[in-house]
Amino acid sequence: MTKPIAISLAVNGEPVEALVRPRQHLADFLRDTLGLTGTHIGCEHGVCGACSVRLDGDVVRGCLVLAVQADGAQVETIEGASDSGELASLQHAFAARNALQCGYCTPGMLLNAAELLARNPSPSRDDIRQHLSGNYCRCTGYQAIVDAVEAAARAGAGGAP
Amino acid sequence: MSDTAGRQPGLSVLDRPNSYIGRAVPRPNIARLTQGRGRYASDISLPRMVHVAFVRSPYAHARIVRIDKTAASGLPGVVAIVTGAELAAVMTPWVGVLSHLKGLKSAPQHAIAVERACWQGEAVAAVVARSRAEAEDAAELVAVDYEELEPVVSVEAALAPGARAIHPELGDNIAFERVLDAGEVDRAFAEADSVVETTFAFGRHTGVTLEPRAIVADWNPGEARLTVYQGTQAPHMMQNIIARHLALEESQVRVICGDVGGSFGIKVHVYADEMATVALAKLLKRPVKYVPDRVESFVSDIHARDHCVKARAAVKRDGTITAFEIDDETGIGPYSMYPRTSGIEANQVVNLVGGPYRTPNYRARARVVFQNKNVMCQYRGVGHPVACSVTEGLVDMAARAIGMDPFEIRRRNVIPDDAHPSVSAAGLKFEALSHQAALAKLHAMMDYDARRREQAALREKGVYRGIGLATFIEVTNPSAAFYGVGGARISSQDGAALRLDATGALVCQISVTEQGQGTEAVIAQVVATAFGVPIERVRVITGDTDVTPYGGGTWASRGAGIGGEAALQAGKALRENVLKVAGTILQAQPAALDIRDGLVVDRDTGRERIGLEEIARIAYFRPDTLPSDFQPELMVVRHYVPRKYPFAFTNGVNACWLEVDVETGFVKLLKYWIVEDCGTIINPQLVDEQIRGGVVQGLGPALMEHCIYDERGQLLNGNMADYLVPMAAEMPDIEVGHVVSPTLESELGAKGAGEAGTAGAAAAVANAVNDALSPFGVAISAIPITPEIVLRALGRL
């Protein structure tokens, strides 16, 4: 039950093979084993959204998924989504609007915002607030984030990924 | 408004060509953070690093009878299990007192509890292992025999006659008491047309930084040096304290602070578990990492604002408020925090009540008591939200008592803008405030009269909306009066070292720190303006005691006002030095030259003379071509601390527009406005975002945030599912306006803005809820205003 289990998955497009303890969650695996520290850990009980990553295209909480559950999956983190250029428009809007202060919630916010824009290219401010309501930010008070997502939507950031 | 009042006519350094002051330039570190390429202390991993987990007391008060490590030590990966007594051999305890808070007392606190645990969550043993998970496994198997002691939980119990003293050697549970009596309070109440009175209760809450506290300590016995990577607001303070309690020289301790995932005052204190981590590194001679999990954060990060304030005010029929009187009781947990103490918040409440108003008669008492709950200390806004809620709550009650509009009563009582410099009833010195201008601006921004009409029309339809106002003053730019005079080695001055590098770009090392508020951007703006280069040519380095000048760091809204002035003076001084080199090369008078947009030009004509890169090339690589008696000095250091005023007070006014559902008790925030005056605005976007974030950090405790304890001192909701924080869907849009009254103490004129938003948000919400509920004749004076509180007030529960 507690012995390491072999998994094989793709992280940001790169094949990864690893032995993981069954209890290790995906966020710890990404951070501690692969050094992908852009996935942040805030609460480890599924509330704050800081550890959001993509698992086979869906945004999930890295603390609520075990690494063994990602066996055979495609995982994408903020590092991959940044390097591919796919988030560039949202990232630009966040920077221009100062939609982050400490930056700790930002990777999760960006991945969730991208998911919203992929589903709804011109969301209302209420839509944005609702979609991001599972991502905690202590710094901004959220308005700048809503503004940035709105600006990115107007600039045509939707359609990705 | 007093935009330029008192300034010399003509161009100031802020008005130089290509000035960045007042411009919303993007932060230099922001792109990195959007790409997940920040480097937070929780990201640090070092060779041979081990992890610590703490065994924490399940009781609020218990004697530690015996700790049995046997079962735990056998687990795989375990490196060491250390008790408080064992750790005390390498780390001395501390006592959180300051001499200027007269009579403040506390007991020695150890890095890990020795003999007795005094709150639920206090660490009683440390388990070090290869991984955090293994450390936690072993922590579960450390067998601790406790003898549960009777906890002292409520403030009333702590103050009750014959109450058992948590620290018997201190005699009683009163850590600190302050009384103040100004003017003729009894006479003012006797002569009042109306006296309003109530008790304000404030729910204990906490910071919930998204990145928990985090520390990696690396003791290298080979060089007898400790390197500490820490999410902290005050690296030099930590260097001093770590060295002192490990019996090291300060030069043996280096504190490095990279990106920090939120601070808000939570990360400016000395935490026992972090001190234990550095001691363990020294003991084990290898790097030790500690990052609390969220559940630990709730029982170990400082809490704040556990206050209960009996208060009254005297008012005349014409609206003149003639007296305030308060009696504040606050419970701070079992120890006064170190080194800033837990007496400061109550002290601030006493200082700040009635602060915006010219009311001359004021009496206050504050009692700060020990109890068996988690420690309490300074958190964003320190005392301001309490003082503001009390004052503004009383002002609204007074307005209702005499039938006056809440805007009108404030207009009649605020200290007039032309009355400064002035001194408050509590003795606070105000250099320049702008209450009248701020009220006028807010009135227009929110279209007050239209809101009142809308409110009246909706009431007919059974929709209950309310408007809540809250004026405030805020302590910023503290001088040595805050901590230094009390004996704390917490620097009130800061330093900036500025050098021209070999390519003509600038590097600024500065002792104020970055937690996301935009310190590095603001410093770059100031340096670029004062020296005369495009902002892209300025690199700012913060957060390393081996690298930056000595200074206080970032807290009490001081980074821009104090660090900014040091940077301004450094920029000016380096410009003079560079012009001396240019003058020598060009055989021109330095005074006839200037630096603009990265080029040396003729001051009068703006004609280009020589580039900075060329000056740097000659100074660094061909000094042989300069006169033999001329030495270029291309690095300067300047320091700054305010001296004329103990604090640069700012001011402002909030307005909240909300709706109360009288069937469910839910409060919906509809819109929020705030006007504030932080003096010179270096970067309007960053100021506005500090204000907005601050407001939301005040809205949380107004409506939902609350550390709920039971009568045995058990925290009942210490996780993010049960402790509610503001999320995007519940928060309103916030409109921010400004009045600008620069402080004349510094050339920059900037005051702080970091805590202004938090100061008055709860007051504005409570006043708005009571305004909405006024048709029902009920009033609420306790926060958080949960649906349950609303329904109980309405008699529906």
Side-chain angles (χ1 to χ4, degrees):
Chain A
M1 276 292 279
T2 60
K3 288 211 181 334
I5 292 172
I7 59 170
S8 119
L9 64 163
V11 178
N12 298 326
E14 291 177 23
V16 171
E17 292 192 354
L19 281 175
V20 296
R21 301 263 172 199
R23 67 176 176 182
Q24 185 174 46
H25 61 61
L26 182 59
D28 271 350
F29 173 70
L30 292 169
R31 289 175 56 82
D32 298 345
T33 307
L34 303 186
L36 292 166
T37 53
T39 300
H40 295 148
I41 289 179
C43 72
E44 289 185 285
H45 48 269
V47 182
C48 77
C51 62
S52 299
V53 295
R54 285 190 190 133
L55 183 68
D56 288 333
D58 293 327
V59 177
V60 299
R61 294 183 179 228
C63 73
L64 296 185
V65 176
L66 296 171
V68 291
Q69 292 175 284
D71 186 28
Q74 301 274 341
V75 173
E76 197 169 20
T77 69
I78 186 66
E79 289 90 346
S82 295
D83 291 352
S84 72
E86 172 224 319
L87 293 177
S89 177
L90 270 167
Q91 285 165 326
H92 175 77
F94 269 57
R97 182 59 189 83
N98 198 50
L100 58 143
Q101 290 179 26
C102 80
Y104 204 76
C105 74
T106 311
M109 284 285 181
L110 286 166
L111 290 173
N112 276 290
E115 181 183 66
L116 169 67
L117 296 186
R119 290 181 195 168
N120 177 0
S122 46
S124 68
R125 291 181 74 78
D126 262 1
D127 292 338
I128 297 168
R129 284 188 180 275
Q130 287 299 333
H131 192 84
L132 298 180
S133 67
N135 287 72
Y136 172 55
C137 168
R138 188 54 131 178
C139 300
T140 63
Y142 302 104
Q143 184 173 337
I145 294 172
V146 177
D147 290 348
V149 176
E150 214 179 18
R154 276 199 302 272
Chain B
M1 284 202 227
S2 45
D3 294 73
T4 53
R7 286 209 177 275
Q8 296 298 316
L11 284 186
S12 82
V13 63
L14 311 185
D15 305 314
R16 281 170 50 74
N18 306 312
S19 171
Y20 288 95
I21 307 301
R23 285 172 56 186
V25 299
R27 287 154 50 198
N29 51 8
I30 203 166
R32 179 166 62 78
L33 297 177
T34 67
Q35 294 166 15
R37 292 182 184 276
R39 193 175 192 234
Y40 301 86
S42 53
D43 296 336
I44 302 282
S45 184
L46 301 175
R48 296 185 68 234
M49 186 174 85
V50 287
H51 299 257
V52 58
F54 291 95
V55 180
R56 293 181 178 275
S57 170
Y59 299 110
H61 199 188
R63 201 165 70 79
I64 302 161
V65 180
R66 184 166 161 272
I67 296 178
D68 183 353
K69 310 174 185 176
T70 322
S73 351
L75 286 197
V78 172
V79 172
I81 298 172
V82 181
T83 65
E86 289 162 350
L87 204 67
V90 280
M91 175 161 275
T92 55
W94 50 85
V95 182
V97 294
L98 288 171
S99 63
H100 66 314
L101 298 179
K102 289 193 178 47
L104 174 63
K105 63 194 183 197
S106 189
Q109 185 181 2
H110 287 270
I112 296 178
V114 176
E115 293 177 2
R116 195 164 60 114
C118 287
W119 81 89
Q120 174 227 357
E122 184 174 10
V124 300
V127 178
V128 183
R130 282 178 316 202
S131 71
R132 167 77 189 199
E134 286 170 332
E136 286 182 27
D137 288 345
E140 279 180 30
L141 293 189
V142 174
V144 185
D145 290 345
Y146 295 97
E147 176 194 334
E148 193 180 358
L149 302 171
E150 196 53 37
V152 177
V153 179
S154 69
V155 170
E156 305 78 69
L159 284 172
R164 170 192 175 138
I166 291 175
H167 305 293
E169 68 276 22
L170 299 181
D172 57 32
N173 291 317
I174 300 179
F176 176 61
E177 178 165 1
R178 182 178 168 200
V179 292
L180 187 148
D181 200 342
E184 297 179 88
V185 175
D186 292 329
R187 186 170 159 188
F189 277 104
E191 292 176 359
D193 290 323
S194 190
V195 172
V196 292
E197 181 164 8
T198 195
T199 298
F200 296 89
F202 299 83
R204 207 177 230 261
H205 51 269
T206 184
V208 199
T209 59
L210 186 51
E211 182 194 28
R213 294 182 287 111
I215 187 167
V216 178
D218 183 11
W219 171 251
N220 182 334
E223 55 182 13
R225 264 201 120 205
L226 182 72
T227 303
V228 179
Y229 303 83
Q230 188 183 24
T232 177
Q233 298 169 233
H236 282 103
M237 181 196 89
M238 288 310 306
Q239 177 191 38
N240 166 260
I241 283 168
I242 291 167
R244 186 188 310 187
H245 293 283
L246 281 176
L248 299 172
E249 295 295 324
E250 277 190 34
S251 58
Q252 290 178 278
V253 178
R254 176 184 186 185
V255 177
I256 299 174
C257 174
D259 293 311
V260 185
S263 296
F264 320 112
I266 296 295
K267 296 175 184 172
V268 77
H269 307 295
V270 171
Y271 287 92
D273 49 21
E274 295 179 37
M275 292 296 274
T277 305
V278 298
L280 288 165
K282 181 132 187 291
L283 204 64
L284 300 173
K285 302 182 179 66
R286 62 194 294 185
V288 180
K289 180 172 188 171
Y290 176 60
V291 183
D293 67 27
R294 183 58 58 186
V295 174
E296 281 184 287
S297 297
F298 274 104
V299 295
S300 60
D301 288 6
I302 57 116
H303 294 176
R305 324 242 215 269
D306 191 348
H307 289 252
C308 187
V309 186
K310 263 179 68 181
R312 61 179 188 146
V315 64
K316 294 288 211 183
R317 216 166 282 112
D318 68 358
T320 309
I321 299 168
T322 53
F324 288 106
E325 181 170 12
I326 65 156
D327 189 358
D328 178 20
E329 293 173 355
T330 177
I332 56 163
Y335 297 101
S336 170
M337 277 296 272
Y338 184 62
R340 287 162 195 261
T341 85
S342 303
I344 295 282
E345 179 152 275
N347 198 54
Q348 292 276 60
V349 172
V350 170
N351 283 339
L352 294 168
V353 164
Y357 302 106
R358 46 186 173 171
T359 309
N361 307 302
Y362 175 42
R363 184 185 290 144
R365 176 172 74 159
R367 282 178 296 171
V368 176
V369 308
F370 296 117
Q371 57 185 168
N372 294 113
K373 286 185 183 176
N374 186 13
V375 286
M376 201 170 86
C377 201
Q378 284 82 292
Y379 166 55
R380 194 178 198 173
V382 196
H384 292 68
V386 176
C388 188
S389 290
V390 169
T391 305
E392 297 302 300
L394 289 173
V395 169
D396 265 23
M397 288 170 72
R400 254 194 297 281
I402 58 166
M404 186 174 278
D405 177 84
F407 239 113
E408 187 54 32
I409 195 169
R410 286 176 172 81
R411 271 197 206 108
R412 291 186 185 203
N413 285 283
V414 289
I415 305 172
D417 296 358
D418 61 5
H420 301 290
S422 65
V423 180
S424 79
L428 305 178
K429 292 184 198 168
F430 303 133
E431 181 196 6
L433 298 175
S434 57
H435 292 300
Q436 291 171 317
L439 279 167
K441 188 156 196 167
L442 181 80
H443 196 274
M445 268 167 68
M446 68 183 294
D447 201 350
Y448 183 72
D449 298 330
R451 296 282 163 192
R452 283 289 178 212
R453 288 193 295 273
E454 185 182 348
Q455 177 186 39
L458 286 169
R459 238 173 230 180
E460 305 284 315
K461 300 176 189 165
V463 175
Y464 297 94
R465 291 192 174 179
I467 296 170
L469 304 176
T471 59
F472 67 91
I473 54 171
E474 188 208 345
V475 172
T476 80
N477 293 5
S479 71
F482 217 162
Y483 293 112
V485 297
R489 293 177 72 87
I490 298 171
S491 173
S492 51
Q493 66 85 59
D494 275 275
L498 185 64
R499 71 172 191 267
L500 188 76
D501 78 9
T503 67
L506 298 180
V507 179
C508 181
Q509 295 146 283
I510 192 158
S511 53
V512 290
T513 52
E514 173 75 86
Q515 281 93 38
Q517 69 279 63
T519 302
E520 291 173 4
V522 164
I523 298 304
Q525 287 177 264
V526 170
V527 165
T529 302
F531 183 85
V533 289
I535 195 165
E536 301 74 27
R537 301 289 280 167
V538 184
R539 177 168 163 74
V540 178
I541 297 172
T542 62
D544 186 341
T545 57
D546 262 11
V547 170
T548 73
Y550 200 89
T554 300
W555 39 273
S557 302
R558 66 190 298 285
I562 295 177
E565 181 68 8
L568 177 75
Q569 297 305 330
K572 284 174 64 181
L574 186 63
R575 173 158 51 101
E576 295 310 310
N577 285 7
V578 168
L579 290 178
K580 278 184 203 157
V581 183
T584 304
I585 295 168
L586 300 170
Q587 298 189 327
Q589 285 300 320
L593 302 170
D594 194 7
I595 305 173
R596 293 177 195 161
D597 211 19
L599 297 168
V600 174
V601 298
D602 282 330
R603 183 177 292 269
D604 291 339
T605 65
R607 184 170 66 96
E608 179 181 339
R609 297 297 305 273
I610 187 170
L612 292 173
E613 187 167 3
E614 180 61 6
I615 289 174
R617 185 189 68 80
I618 292 168
Y620 288 129
F621 308 119
R622 295 302 308 273
D624 57 304
T625 64
L626 296 171
S628 60
D629 59 351
F630 178 73
Q631 175 60 48
E633 291 295 348
L634 298 184
M635 181 164 186
V636 300
V637 186
R638 288 293 181 274
H639 295 83
Y640 176 70
V641 64
R643 289 162 195 269
K644 291 186 197 137
Y645 285 87
F647 309 101
F649 276 92
T650 69
N651 67 278
V653 55
N654 302 256
C656 180
W657 174 237
L658 54 73
E659 184 173 313
V660 181
D661 184 330
V662 296
E663 302 302 321
T664 65
F666 273 90
V667 173
K668 184 171 171 56
L669 301 169
L670 300 171
K671 181 82 187 174
Y672 203 96
W673 301 265
I674 179 168
V675 176
E676 69 79 54
D677 182 347
C678 65
T680 301
I681 295 173
I682 301 168
N683 186 321
Q685 185 182 53
L686 294 180
V687 169
D688 285 1
E689 292 317 311
Q690 278 302 298
I691 299 295
R692 288 198 175 96
V695 165
V696 170
Q697 208 151 8
L699 293 175
L703 292 172
M704 59 191 90
E705 292 187 49
H706 193 187
C707 297
I708 301 167
Y709 276 87
D710 73 6
E711 68 283 357
R712 302 299 297 170
Q714 296 287 317
L715 180 64
L716 301 178
N717 63 336
N719 62 76
M720 284 194 71
D722 296 322
Y723 179 100
L724 303 181
V725 289
M727 302 299 273
E730 301 103 40
M731 289 299 116
D733 278 347
I734 298 163
E735 218 171 289
V736 184
H738 303 279
V739 179
V740 177
S741 312
T743 172
L744 300 184
E745 254 212 92
S746 68
E747 216 174 328
L748 184 59
K751 309 178 198 175
E755 299 166 281
T758 309
V765 168
N767 284 349
V769 167
N770 287 333
D771 184 46
L773 295 181
S774 59
F776 300 90
V778 300
I780 293 169
S781 58
I783 60 166
I785 303 173
T786 58
E788 181 189 340
I789 295 274
V790 172
L791 292 178
R792 283 193 192 285
L794 288 168
R796 298 184 180 193
L797 204 72

